[in-house]
Amino acid sequence: MFRRLLLQMLFVQLSAVSVHSACSFPGYTTFSRKWETLISQERHTVGAYWTFNQTTVEFLSLTRPQTSDVYDCIRELSNNFLVQLNPKYTETDQSPNDQGNGNGQLMTHRCVKLFRYSDNVLQVKLSPLSVLGPMEQICHESQTPWESYILVWPKITDYEACPIVGGFQFSITDPQKNQLCANLYLPPVLESRCIEEEGLNIEFRNFNCRGNLGMQLNQELRCLGSWTEGNFTFSVTTSTDQMWPRLWLFRFPVDMQQGEFNVEILSEIKVVTTEKIDPSVEHHTMHLSKKIYTSTCEDEAVTCVSCNNSNILGFCQRTCDVCHTNHMGSFPNNTIGNWIQFSIDGVKNVTVSTSSMEIGDTNFSCIGLEIKRWYKTKDRKVAVLFFANGCRPRYLCVDFVQRSTSVQQYRLSQYVLWPQQPSMDADDVCDEDLFAETKSKPSKNTPGIHKYKTVVTANETKQKVPCGLTEGYLQLNAHFPDKRSCKLFVNSCKNDSQTSFDLVLSDDCDKSILTENKQECIATFVDDTNGDQVVITQDSNTSIAYCWVLHKEEWEPRPRYFLTYAADCNSDAAKYILYRNYTGYISYFDIVAGPDLLGTYSCSHDIVSLLRKPDNVTVQSISMADITTPHFNLDAPVFTTNNPDAAGSNIKTPVHTSNCGSKSQRILINLFIMATVYFIVI
C-alpha cells in the first residue's frame, strides 16, 4: 500500500514536471491581458477573447450563450503547441464524453500554431480536436479543417511601418458593385509613408465616396501589424482615436510596384486568401493609380475651366498661373557646404547649396517666400519637398543656428501639404507652432522629431573651442540602456588650452561603447529651451561626433551628464531617457561626490588606484550580532553572510541563500527524495 502511494506521488510529480517545465507559451502572448478576435464592423463588434497564461490558454466566445474553453499546454515544438482541453474549466455545448471518435476515445487534444506579426497582432491556427497521438501527426497541415484567428490589441504607443509606400488616386467599388468616387472635381487620394510622421492617410473628398467603410472624410490610419499569406499582404490598421480605436484590415497585392492595382478594405478582421471575396464579407475594393508630381506648378483638379473662383485657384495653379515656385530662394551663406550627421540610426551626409538642401536621400528646394514678421531674426527658409513615388509635394520650414565654425544645427517644421492657396506666405509655413511635436505620429517614444539636429562640417580640420570643464578628474558612474553600469573619470588634466579631454575607464566599462580616445571640443553652448549646457566633441581617432549634455532636474541635488551621438541630443532627450524608457542614447552619468567642485579630483591624484579592484579583502572587527546564519539558494551562489567560523572577522564567504529554488527545482528535489524512499522500502 505504501509503495503504491509512493508510485502515485511520483506519477503526479512527473506529470507536473512535464506540464509546467516542458511547455509554456511565449512571453509575447501575455503582452495583452485579453486579445480581441472575430472583430467586425470596424471593431464595433468583438466576437471573442483569447487569454494566455504561462501554461494555459482560454478562448472565451462572446456570442449568446457565452462559452469558454480552457486548454493546458502539454508539449512545445518550435511555435507549435500541443494542448489538451481541460474539462474542469470548459463550458461547451458538448460534454467531453460527446467529443469522442466513436471508439470510446476522447478527442481532447489539438495543435496550436502561433504566428507573431507585431507586439499587437498575432495569428492563431487550431487543428481539429483529436485523440492523443504523436505531436507531429496532430500538428501536420493535413489535419483539416484548421481554424484561423487574428488576435489584436489596438491600445499601443508605437506603430509598425505600413507595407504600402507612395501616393495614389483612387476610386471605390462597394460589395454591391456600385462605382463610388466617380467623376469628382478633385480625385480622392491615398498616401502612405511619404514622410516619417505620416502613416496611411486617405482623403475621400466626398462623403459618398466612403461607402459603408465607417471612415472619416480625411481618415488617418496607423498600421498595427502586417504579414504575407498566399498571394496577398495583409495589414491591420487602426484609427488614431485614443478612446476607442477602430480597426480595418487592408489586403494588398504582394507586388505593388506597378502603377495600377487593387486593394481590398475589410471592415472585419478576417483573412481571405481567395482572389474574389464573398459578398457576405464586409469589404470595399479600392482601385489605385499613381500620378507623379515633379513641380508645385501643376493642376490637381481634373478640369480647370475658370480662374475667377478663388476657391479653386490652389488646385489650378498651372492653368491660372499662380504658382509659388516662380521665385527661387537661397539658404544662408554660413550654412552652405558639406556636413555630417551622426545619429543612433547611422551616418547621413547633409549637403546645403545656394538653393537646395539634401539630407541623406531626401532633397528639397528653397523657394523665395518672404518672412514678414519677427522671424527676420531667425535664419528660417521655406523649402518644398518632391517625391518620385506619387506623394504630393510638401512645404516645410528650415531653421538654422550656427554653434561654431565647425558645427551647425538645423530643424525641420511639420509639413504643409500642397496645394495651398496663392495667398500662402512664409509666415504660414514657418510659424513656431509647426515646430511643435505632432500629436499623432508613428512613434511616441522618439524625442524631438522637430527639434534641432546637430551636424559637423565634413572638413578634416575643425576649430577647437574650450570645453568648459574644471581642470582635474571628474568622477562619474555610467549607466547604459541595457541596465549595466561602471565607474570612470573624465580627465581634463595636462591640456593647457582646455579644448579636449579623455575618459579613464574601469575594467567594468565596455570599451566597445565608451572609448578612452581623446575627445576634442568643437562647440559649446547653452540650450535655449531649458538652459542645459551642451558640449559637442569629436573623437580624435574615429572622427565620430558626440553630444554631452549637463542636465539637472529641479528636485535633484546635482546634475547628470547625458551622452548621445551629436544629432540625437535636444531639449527633450534627457527627460525621455529618464522617464520614457528611451534607449537611443549611449550612456548617462551620475556625478560622484569628490573633494573639489562637482566631484573633481586634482590632477595630482592617482585616480587609477581608485578604479582598481582590490586584490584581497580587508579584515575588520565586527560584533557577533553581525553574524547571520547561512542558508541555501539552489539558483546561484551569492556573498550575503559572514562566516561563523571566523568569529571576530568580517571575511565574507560564498554561501547559498534559499527560497527552495524555482518550482521545477523543488519538484525535482521531491522526485529524488521520494524515489530514494521508494527503493529503500523495496
Side-chain angles (χ1 to χ4, degrees):
M1 180 70 182
F2 181 62
R3 283 181 293 179
R4 174 187 250 176
L5 179 61
L6 279 175
L7 284 172
Q8 290 176 341
M9 294 174 64
L10 279 169
F11 176 77
V12 171
Q13 294 291 335
L14 284 169
S15 300
V17 170
S18 64
V19 171
H20 291 287
S21 60
C23 183
S24 60
F25 292 108
Y28 62 77
T29 59
T30 60
F31 178 80
S32 166
R33 187 173 63 88
K34 286 185 178 180
W35 292 91
E36 300 177 4
T37 192
L38 301 180
I39 300 168
S40 60
Q41 296 179 317
E42 310 103 44
R43 197 175 166 244
H44 285 299
T45 301
V46 177
Y49 290 125
W50 283 87
T51 302
F52 288 88
N53 293 310
Q54 185 176 3
T55 58
T56 64
V57 59
E58 178 188 10
F59 175 78
L60 175 63
S61 174
L62 301 180
T63 58
R64 300 295 181 184
Q66 291 189 5
T67 58
S68 174
D69 291 334
V70 177
Y71 297 92
D72 295 321
C73 190
I74 303 300
R75 184 184 171 194
E76 174 187 354
L77 181 62
S78 185
N79 285 326
N80 297 339
F81 300 85
L82 181 64
V83 298
Q84 181 180 14
L85 190 65
N86 189 328
K88 181 178 179 181
Y89 300 103
T90 299
E91 304 170 3
T92 60
D93 295 335
Q94 293 179 312
S95 66
N97 292 330
D98 296 328
Q99 300 171 2
N101 63 353
N103 297 322
Q105 296 176 298
L106 291 181
M107 301 175 64
T108 59
H109 292 74
R110 66 196 317 176
C111 182
V112 176
K113 292 180 179 287
L114 289 176
F115 302 88
R116 184 189 187 189
Y117 301 133
S118 70
D119 286 342
N120 296 84
V121 178
L122 308 179
Q123 186 175 21
V124 172
K125 292 186 177 181
L126 291 178
S127 69
L129 281 168
S130 67
V131 298
L132 180 60
M135 183 174 180
E136 292 76 11
Q137 177 181 338
I138 296 177
C139 291
H140 197 271
E141 294 294 338
S142 62
Q143 300 293 326
T144 56
W146 284 78
E147 300 174 24
S148 178
Y149 299 89
I150 299 297
L151 280 55
V152 182
W153 180 245
K155 298 181 180 179
I156 60 172
T157 57
D158 286 318
Y159 304 99
E160 300 290 315
C162 296
I164 184 172
V165 180
F168 306 86
Q169 296 179 353
F170 66 85
S171 62
I172 289 181
T173 302
D174 66 13
Q176 290 73 39
K177 305 301 181 181
N178 297 315
Q179 297 293 323
L180 308 178
C181 316
N183 302 319
L184 294 181
Y185 172 71
L186 292 175
V189 176
L190 179 148
E191 291 185 323
S192 177
R193 293 171 58 190
C194 294
I195 55 176
E196 183 178 8
E197 298 173 59
E198 296 177 351
L200 192 156
N201 300 324
I202 303 175
E203 289 187 32
F204 291 98
R205 289 179 158 171
N206 185 286
F207 288 102
N208 295 328
C209 184
R210 303 173 301 163
N212 295 322
L213 285 171
M215 293 186 179
Q216 302 293 323
L217 192 62
N218 295 323
Q219 182 65 62
E220 295 184 20
L221 298 173
R222 300 291 183 259
C223 293
L224 298 179
S226 305
W227 70 98
T228 297
E229 190 168 343
N231 297 323
F232 303 101
T233 297
F234 297 87
S235 184
V236 178
T237 64
T238 178
S239 63
T240 55
D241 184 1
Q242 298 296 319
M243 296 298 295
W244 185 259
R246 303 169 74 179
L247 299 176
W248 293 267
L249 181 67
F250 278 67
R251 192 184 80 170
F252 304 99
V254 173
D255 182 11
M256 291 182 279
Q257 300 303 315
Q258 301 181 20
E260 296 183 1
F261 55 88
N262 292 339
V263 173
E264 302 290 346
I265 306 178
L266 285 74
S267 298
E268 54 183 299
I269 311 302
K270 180 179 181 180
V271 175
V272 181
T273 57
T274 57
E275 190 70 30
K276 293 185 177 181
I277 300 178
D278 191 276
S280 63
V281 178
E282 308 168 17
H283 76 284
H284 287 64
T285 303
M286 182 177 284
H287 313 282
L288 301 183
S289 62
K290 185 175 293 186
K291 180 179 179 180
I292 307 297
Y293 295 96
T294 59
S295 167
T296 58
C297 196
E298 294 193 36
D299 297 336
E300 190 186 19
V302 176
T303 57
C304 294
V305 179
S306 173
C307 296
N308 296 325
N309 187 345
S310 60
N311 294 327
I312 71 169
L313 286 180
F315 305 105
C316 297
Q317 294 189 22
R318 182 175 183 178
T319 298
C320 299
D321 193 23
V322 289
C323 302
H324 287 124
T325 50
N326 283 341
H327 308 287
M328 299 304 295
S330 59
F331 289 114
N333 290 332
N334 61 356
T335 66
I336 296 174
N338 297 317
W339 308 87
I340 302 177
Q341 179 173 305
F342 295 95
S343 169
I344 191 73
D345 298 322
V347 180
K348 288 183 180 180
N349 292 318
V350 178
T351 303
V352 183
S353 64
T354 302
S355 59
S356 67
M357 182 174 183
E358 184 176 349
I359 304 174
D361 297 329
T362 304
N363 186 293
F364 40 85
S365 302
C366 185
I367 58 177
L369 293 181
E370 183 182 358
I371 293 179
K372 301 176 181 178
R373 296 194 285 271
W374 67 275
Y375 304 111
K376 271 289 187 182
T377 59
K378 297 279 189 177
D379 288 322
R380 298 186 183 182
K381 296 294 181 180
V382 177
V384 62
L385 178 64
F386 296 102
F387 304 88
N389 57 11
C391 291
R392 291 170 293 178
R394 267 78 167 157
Y395 297 104
L396 72 154
C397 187
V398 188
D399 184 14
F400 294 98
V401 176
Q402 185 175 14
R403 295 303 187 182
S404 71
T405 57
S406 303
V407 176
Q408 286 275 354
Q409 285 188 312
Y410 75 90
R411 60 175 178 164
L412 305 178
S413 70
Q414 298 177 35
Y415 293 87
V416 177
L417 184 63
W418 174 90
Q420 292 290 319
Q421 293 298 322
S423 59
M424 183 191 76
D425 58 28
D427 299 296
D428 297 323
V429 183
C430 289
D431 189 279
E432 186 66 28
D433 290 342
L434 292 177
F435 288 99
E437 297 306 304
T438 53
K439 295 182 179 179
S440 57
K441 55 188 177 184
S443 176
K444 297 179 181 178
N445 288 328
T446 303
I449 290 179
H450 300 293
K451 301 290 185 179
Y452 286 106
K453 295 187 182 299
T454 301
V455 293
V456 299
T457 179
N459 297 334
E460 292 186 7
T461 303
K462 298 176 179 63
Q463 182 178 354
K464 294 189 290 184
V465 301
C467 300
L469 293 173
T470 302
E471 184 177 6
Y473 296 101
L474 179 63
Q475 185 178 4
L476 303 174
N477 284 338
H479 304 276
F480 303 99
D482 60 5
K483 307 304 181 184
R484 289 183 298 166
S485 61
C486 71
K487 296 180 180 179
L488 70 151
F489 282 91
V490 175
N491 173 21
S492 58
C493 296
K494 300 178 181 179
N495 187 353
D496 296 335
S497 61
Q498 290 292 297
T499 59
S500 66
F501 62 88
D502 55 58
L503 303 181
V504 182
L505 306 177
S506 67
D507 295 336
D508 296 332
C509 290
D510 187 344
K511 292 181 173 59
S512 66
I513 300 176
L514 295 179
T515 175
E516 293 185 330
N517 297 336
K518 179 184 292 186
Q519 298 295 311
E520 298 175 336
C521 300
I522 54 178
T524 60
F525 57 92
V526 176
D527 191 291
D528 299 332
T529 304
N530 56 17
D532 289 347
Q533 298 181 36
V534 182
V535 179
I536 305 298
T537 66
Q538 185 174 44
D539 190 296
S540 61
N541 187 31
T542 65
S543 297
I544 296 175
Y546 298 97
C547 177
W548 302 75
V549 178
L550 185 64
H551 172 83
K552 182 182 180 300
E553 296 289 278
E554 293 181 0
W555 55 86
E556 293 183 339
R558 61 180 63 237
R560 293 185 178 98
Y561 275 104
F562 294 83
L563 175 61
T564 68
Y565 292 102
D568 296 331
C569 69
N570 55 65
S571 57
D572 285 345
K575 292 186 180 295
Y576 270 72
I577 293 170
L578 293 176
Y579 307 118
R580 298 200 184 183
N581 297 320
Y582 174 62
T583 58
Y585 65 98
I586 300 173
S587 180
Y588 73 86
F589 309 90
D590 295 325
I591 299 176
V592 181
D596 295 318
L597 181 64
L598 277 181
T600 56
Y601 288 79
S602 70
C603 293
S604 61
H605 271 90
D606 179 16
I607 53 97
V608 176
S609 64
L610 296 177
L611 295 176
R612 186 183 303 124
K613 292 184 177 180
D615 296 329
N616 49 49
V617 180
T618 304
V619 178
Q620 297 179 348
S621 62
I622 60 171
S623 65
M624 292 300 294
D626 294 326
I627 301 176
T628 59
T629 304
H631 47 286
F632 295 87
N633 179 357
L634 296 174
D635 292 325
V638 293
F639 291 83
T640 59
T641 188
N642 298 329
N643 185 357
D645 295 332
S649 74
N650 194 27
I651 299 177
K652 296 186 177 182
T653 58
V655 298
H656 293 280
T657 60
S658 176
N659 59 0
C660 296
S662 66
K663 185 173 182 179
S664 60
Q665 290 172 325
R666 295 198 300 269
I667 292 173
L668 291 172
I669 293 172
N670 291 338
L671 278 172
F672 176 77
I673 294 173
M674 286 188 291
T676 303
V677 173
Y678 174 75
F679 287 111
I680 292 175
V681 172
I682 292 177

